[in-house]
Amino acid sequence: MNLGFSPLTAGLEYPAAFDLAAELGLFLEVAYDQHEMDPRLPSAQELREMGRAAGVGFTVHLPFVDWNLASLVPEVQQLSLERTQRAIAFGAALGAHCGVLHTGLVPLRLPIALEQGRKRLHQGLARLELGLPVALENLGLSPADLLETPQELAEVLAAHPNYGFCLDVGHALVQRGTGGMEEYYQQLGPRMIHLHLHDNDGSYDAHAVCGEGRVNWRWVREVLRGFEGTAALEVTGGAAGVRRSVELLRG
């Protein structure tokens, strides 16, 4: 298992994040949105050199802030496509193992709006040029999320065989209950190339330290055994939260 963590979620700046990753043998999942928000952060090339010096690799979370690949407004979808394409190029320059992509929102829950949103999502996925492996992440956290079930995500992935699947165990718990992870895995396990690991009590997406909620970590450890892809911790709690989560997963 190739394990990493998100510095953004953990609340760590890059120097501390690299030190922790090097100490624990982890990679870093870089949030592209953070680099859009703060141009003072290192470039992809600079991060890659920092990673090479520290012996630390990367994955990249593609844009999701003020972003909607399924937008019914053509200008919004076009901007989302452009930002995603720039983020993919950023991840490729970083040497990232993979990128993680959300699937969009349709707040207007009318049949014609949902139909058009699905069409826009398919068009957007087809237009993106993938310079690295990209995994579509399960969401279902908001009434506005376009895709609400494992079957819907499976249908999208079936239409786009060049994309993989990112199983977010915390999202699955909130969306589908305690059996949600298994449900997604049964449908999409062969397409899984990445996981997001964090915990919650099932009521909201808390991004708690692993072991502090209702996620079945025994099942997760079994899935990770022999898994050849990547798995990123998206936990709060700073370095201590990352350490406790790593101990649980490696214990």
Side-chain angles (χ1 to χ4, degrees), residues 189-202:
R191 300 289 295 274
M192 188 172 74
I193 63 172
H194 190 63
L195 293 95
H196 279 164
L197 307 177
H198 50 98
D199 219 331
N200 62 69
D201 66 2

Side-chain angles (χ1 to χ4, degrees), residues 78-126:
Q78 180 60 34
L79 179 57
S80 297
L81 274 167
E82 292 170 2
R83 291 177 60 204
T84 306
Q85 198 65 71
R86 289 195 292 268
I88 289 172
F90 179 94
L94 195 60
H97 295 290
C98 71
V100 181
L101 185 64
H102 286 191
T103 48
L105 310 167
V106 178
L108 185 64
R109 307 307 282 187
L110 298 176
I112 189 171
L114 293 168
E115 179 185 350
Q116 289 299 315
R118 293 188 188 97
K119 184 181 296 185
R120 297 292 177 85
L121 174 61
H122 284 292
Q123 291 171 344
L125 293 175

